[in-house]
Structure formats: structure tokens, C-alpha cells
Amino acid sequence: MHMRAVSSVQDNDRFGAAACLGFGREVGHMLPVNAIQHLPAGELLFSEGDKADSVFEVLSGMVRLYKLLPDGRRQVTGFLTAGQLLGLAPEGACVFTADTVTEVSLVRYKRDAFDRLIDDVPGFARRLLAVTSHELHAAQDQMLLLGRKSASEKVASFLLMLPARLNVIDVPMTRGDIADYLGLTVETVSRTLTRLRQDGLIALPVPTRVQVLDRKGLENLASGDLGDLF
Amino acid sequence: MHMRAVSSVQDNDRFGAAACLGFGREVGHMLPVNAIQHLPAGELLFSEGDKADSVFEVLSGMVRLYKLLPDGRRQVTGFLTAGQLLGLAPEGACVFTADTVTEVSLVRYKRDAFDRLIDDVPGFARRLLAVTSHELHAAQDQMLLLGRKSASEKVASFLLMLPARLNVIDVPMTRGDIADYLGLTVETVSRTLTRLRQDGLIALPVPTRVQVLDRKGLENLASGDLGDLF
DNA sequence: CGTGCCTTTGAAAGAGCTCAATCCTGGTGG
DNA sequence: CCACCAGGATTGAGCTCTTTCAAAGGCACG
């Protein structure tokens, strides 16, 4: 069995809380598929504590994962895009909430069928393991960001982890989502973006679109190389 | 093949960056073991970027995992204790640095032999998957802590994730380690512990030992239930 | 009995937060 | 077609929590 699809893990798992398998063509037909679902924006997929009996694969759109504190404080742990998996948890209950940022289409697999595949298909388990390990590393990067980076370093890091076409980044999530992903407030995210614009690192034609004007500068900022210039 | 050991995952993986397998007796003899190593405190195991060709299992003592920014800022991503695994990363290079907090004894397995086991031993891969998934969830809890909890909530959470015997917690790591794990400074950790002592939640006979006087209170604080009493 | 490291405590400064007002922008209905 | 409206985004001013800078304590080790 060949390992073709594995390399794409590096490129797709930008947000650290999900997985890109690329298994669709190879094993997808072996899985009982409930149905392809189409959901509007702002739709709940499942809540923290729900019984975890499904594995989802995102086909298009963006899904948001988060955890809440009793008083409503929210930490977004990841954003999922096409190709990423959701609900791999072998434990009985979901440990986070998932809802849609944009319109989303996704496939739901039966969890027990998925589990059977792990034992039956050689190499499948190892690939899943590679995926979760990779997510774990992304999670550690996020811990470094949350625990030790300044607001501008966080925002710069965030922009660079979004996929860019010709240096133009699509930002479908709200400032509130970004804030809750970076451990900041809406106002600080907004102010920081304004600051990056004033400093010539980015342009903001509309709030949902960022143009990277100085990628090197952003990268230095994101990696904390600039000491305290910002 | 029975699944006896899996339940211990819940109890041992308190720090989110490692794994408890409990495989020693079952498959340990199938793995080529370099040697059991004994290391003093403060010894480097490997650095970020090193070639990852080994899997370690901690037998005793405590190992610290961390990532660094270029200017020296540090984020501790986890502390490992007896039974936990290290170096499961299937990627070529280590993504964090590991060194010893206390004296440590550990076993080093050859990575390729470990990989072979994944394919050869039924259920092994699935158990590893359970372990890494569990770590991933712990990592998400840590993100919530780092991004959204106050200093006292962080410290309370930290104390409660350490194993306690008769409400007495052993704290082998320094205040600096705790600070870098919680995204705080040494001074804030120290002040917060003093505050918890003054408020009657804990006692501090010596800096390395914490006695829990009001577990309920600590738990409320840790989960963010108290609103802004602290 | 120094010496060095860890911890604790104090005072001042600052990064990011809170509160509050204004500005967009896209959808709605007259 | 355009005024209106609602939700998100931006900006401003003041404040707070945490950090920074500085100085003692305390303990282990030589």
C-alpha cells in the first residue's frame, strides 16, 4: 500500500485541531456514509459533552472548534477546512464544541465502522497516528503562541497560518473568533491589524481580506525575532 | 487480546504532552532496548530540531518538554512522569526540547522497531492512537488555560493536575518552570501561591510541597466558576 | 560560613482589557 | 431607489492585572 497522501498533511493541517487524511478515494467507499450534509453558517455540529459516535470529514467551508468556561469565556482551539477530520476522539464524549463559520458541506462516518477500519486496513492506523501526532505538534505551537507571544506576534502568526493566494488572505471568521483563537479581545485584534496596516506590513481592503505587503516582516514578527520593536 | 491497560491513560496523562501505555510487560520484550538510562537532574534529552530516531519511556522522575522563541522566551508544553512516552512524532525531527527536572531513569526504544510493532501487533496502533488523542484533548484544555484563564485560575488548575497523596502535592519543578508552563512570570506564580495561602486554600510548608486545605475552593477557582472573586 | 540559586516581596510601568461611542456594510422594507 | 437597521469593525480613554525592575530572604552545597 502506497503512502502518497501523507505529504499533504503538512500543508493542510494549519490550525492544529484537525486532520487531513486524503483517504477519500482509497477507503471512503468502505465506510458506511450517512449522507453528505450541507449546513448554513453558524450551525452547531455538536457540543462539548455530546456522545461522540461520528467522525466527520469537512468537504468545503470552515468549521470552528472551541471550549467554554462557565462564565462564557471562550477559547477557539482550531478552524477546520476542506479535507480535515473531526471527531477522532476515542473517548466517549466530545471534548469541545464544533460549529460552522461559513456554509459547510461534510460527510459523517459511523464511528464503529471507522474503528473497524483501523484494525482491518494495513497502514490506516499508522496514518491516523501521523495525523494526530502532527496535530499535537501544532497544538504545542499554539501553546507557545498563547503563553509567550505578544498581541502583534500573535496576529502576525495567525495571518501567516491562513492559506494565501498571491499574498491575499481570505479571513472568513470574525474578529471575535480571531480574538478567542489568540487569547485576545476583539478590540486588541482590531487595533493590532490597524497597526500592521499603518506599519506597511499588510493592507485591509475589506475586513475579511488581508493583503500581505511585507511577508518577511510579518514572518520576523511572528517568530518573535524582532525583540521588542512591536 | 485484552485491553486492560487502557484505563490508566486517564489517570496518568495529566500533563498533556506524553503518553502512558502500560505496555511494558506485554510488548516490551519485543522491542530492542538500547539500555535503561539513568540521568541526573537538569540533563538534556534532545533539542528541538534533533533527528527523532528514538522513543523513550519514562520509568521514574520527571521530564520537562518545552519550546523556545529566538529571544529566549520559553513555553513548557508538558511534564512527564513514570509510564509516559516521549518521541512518538512520526516526523523526522523533534519539535520540542526535552530535559530532566529531577533524576530520571528511562528506556530508549529504536524508532523503526517501534514502528514495526504498530503494524505487527494488533491493537497496538489503536492504543497509541487513543493515547495521542487523549494528549490532544489535554492540549486543548491547556489552550483554554493559557488563552482565557487568570493567573489564580491558572495556578489553581496547575495544582489540581498534579498527583496528590492525602491532599499533599509534590512540586518538583521550580517556580520558573511553573511560570513557563502557565504563561506567567516567576513573580506572579509566587505571588499567586502566597495569595492562595493567605486565602486559606493551600498551605506551603516548603516551596516544593503544597497542602490542599480547600479542594472545593481550588476546583471552583480552577474551572473559572467564581466569576471575579479573584 | 561564604556563594549561588531559588523564592518571596515591594514599587513602578505597561500591555492589553473594559467601557463607550462611532463607523461601516449588507440586508430590509417602504 | 433609498432610508433604515442590525451586527460587525474600528477608535478612544481610562483602568487593571500582570510584568518589570529591584532587593531581600532562605536553603543547599562546597
Side-chain angles (χ1 to χ4, degrees):
Chain A
M1 154 162 230
H2 61 281
M3 287 289 161
R4 172 181 51 74
V6 169
S7 64
S8 66
V9 169
Q10 301 287 351
D11 297 321
N12 286 299
D13 184 31
R14 285 201 164 79
F15 291 110
C20 170
L21 276 173
F23 278 137
R25 269 175 301 277
E26 292 168 60
V27 302
H29 62 282
M30 301 176 60
L31 286 166
V33 176
N34 261 10
I36 294 185
Q37 302 185 336
H38 298 277
L39 300 171
E43 195 81 1
L44 199 64
L45 277 177
F46 54 78
S47 288
E48 201 171 335
D50 283 1
K51 184 155 56 72
D53 52 3
S54 298
V55 177
F56 297 93
E57 181 176 356
V58 179
L59 297 179
S60 69
M62 181 173 279
V63 172
R64 163 180 53 217
L65 312 181
Y66 57 89
K67 293 176 74 81
L68 294 170
L69 286 173
D71 64 358
R73 279 174 285 173
R74 184 178 69 148
Q75 180 65 41
V76 172
T77 57
F79 298 103
L80 308 193
T81 52
Q84 300 192 284
L85 286 185
L86 183 53
L88 277 178
E91 283 137 29
C94 299
V95 295
F96 48 73
T97 303
D99 63 9
T100 58
V101 176
T102 63
E103 281 187 12
V104 165
S105 55
L106 47 78
V107 189
R108 178 199 297 250
Y109 304 107
K110 289 273 178 224
R111 139 134 270 123
D112 50 1
F114 211 86
D115 281 350
R116 222 172 304 123
L117 224 55
I118 292 176
D119 294 327
D120 294 349
V121 177
F124 188 69
R126 190 206 289 264
R127 283 207 253 175
L128 283 183
L129 199 55
V131 166
T132 55
S133 289
H134 186 258
E135 288 173 38
L136 204 48
H137 296 158
Q140 287 166 356
D141 285 337
Q142 191 68 2
M143 289 186 217
L144 178 63
L145 178 148
L146 289 169
R148 287 300 179 222
K149 287 187 182 177
S150 70
S152 42
E153 289 165 349
K154 286 177 175 180
V155 172
S157 302
F158 173 74
L159 293 177
L160 291 173
M161 68 177 81
L162 290 167
R165 302 187 314 279
L166 283 346
N167 275 334
V168 174
I169 300 168
D170 215 54
V171 186
M173 61 288 273
T174 67
R175 298 293 187 263
D177 289 331
I178 300 173
D180 286 345
Y181 182 62
L182 299 178
L184 299 170
T185 60
V186 180
E187 295 92 331
T188 298
V189 169
S190 183
R191 272 188 259 271
T192 303
L193 285 169
T194 301
R195 182 77 192 280
L196 293 179
R197 176 170 54 69
Q198 288 168 345
D199 292 338
L201 294 179
I202 62 172
L204 280 164
V206 293
T208 59
R209 200 170 301 272
V210 174
Q211 183 173 11
V212 178
L213 299 178
D214 180 358
R215 179 167 291 271
K216 200 78 205 149
L218 265 192
E219 284 168 352
N220 287 336
L221 185 52
S223 63
D225 260 340
L226 276 54
D228 38 24
L229 258 173
F230 288 89
Chain B
M1 151 159 232
H2 62 281
M3 287 289 161
R4 172 181 51 75
V6 169
S7 64
S8 66
V9 169
Q10 301 287 352
D11 297 321
N12 287 299
D13 184 32
R14 285 202 163 78
F15 291 110
C20 170
L21 275 172
F23 278 136
R25 269 175 301 278
E26 293 167 59
V27 303
H29 62 282
M30 301 177 60
L31 287 167
V33 175
N34 261 11
I36 294 185
Q37 301 185 338
H38 296 277
L39 299 171
E43 194 82 0
L44 199 65
L45 278 178
F46 54 78
S47 289
E48 202 171 334
D50 283 0
K51 185 156 56 73
D53 51 5
S54 299
V55 176
F56 297 94
E57 181 175 357
V58 179
L59 297 178
S60 69
M62 181 173 279
V63 172
R64 162 180 54 216
L65 311 182
Y66 57 89
K67 293 176 73 80
L68 294 170
L69 287 173
D71 63 358
R73 278 174 286 173
R74 183 178 70 147
Q75 179 65 41
V76 172
T77 58
F79 297 102
L80 308 193
T81 52
Q84 299 191 284
L85 286 184
L86 182 53
L88 277 178
E91 283 137 28
C94 300
V95 295
F96 48 71
T97 302
D99 62 10
T100 60
V101 175
T102 63
E103 281 188 13
V104 165
S105 55
L106 47 77
V107 189
R108 179 199 296 251
Y109 304 108
K110 289 272 179 225
R111 140 134 268 123
D112 50 2
F114 210 87
D115 280 350
R116 224 172 304 122
L117 222 56
I118 292 176
D119 294 327
D120 294 350
V121 178
F124 188 69
R126 190 207 290 263
R127 282 208 253 176
L128 284 184
L129 199 56
V131 166
T132 54
S133 288
H134 187 258
E135 288 173 37
L136 203 50
H137 295 159
Q140 285 166 356
D141 285 338
Q142 191 67 2
M143 288 187 218
L144 178 62
L145 178 148
L146 289 169
R148 287 298 178 224
K149 287 187 181 176
S150 69
S152 42
E153 289 166 349
K154 286 177 177 181
V155 172
S157 302
F158 173 74
L159 292 177
L160 290 173
M161 67 177 82
L162 289 167
R165 302 187 311 280
L166 283 345
N167 275 336
V168 174
I169 300 168
D170 215 54
V171 186
M173 60 289 272
T174 67
R175 299 292 187 263
D177 288 331
I178 300 173
D180 286 346
Y181 182 62
L182 300 177
L184 299 171
T185 59
V186 179
E187 295 92 330
T188 299
V189 170
S190 182
R191 272 188 259 271
T192 304
L193 285 169
T194 300
R195 182 76 192 279
L196 293 180
R197 176 170 53 69
Q198 289 169 344
D199 293 337
L201 294 178
I202 62 172
L204 280 164
V206 292
T208 60
R209 200 169 303 272
V210 174
Q211 184 173 10
V212 178
L213 299 179
D214 179 359
R215 178 167 291 271
K216 201 75 204 150
L218 266 191
E219 284 169 353
N220 286 337
L221 185 51
S223 63
D225 260 341
L226 275 55
D228 39 23
L229 259 174
F230 289 89

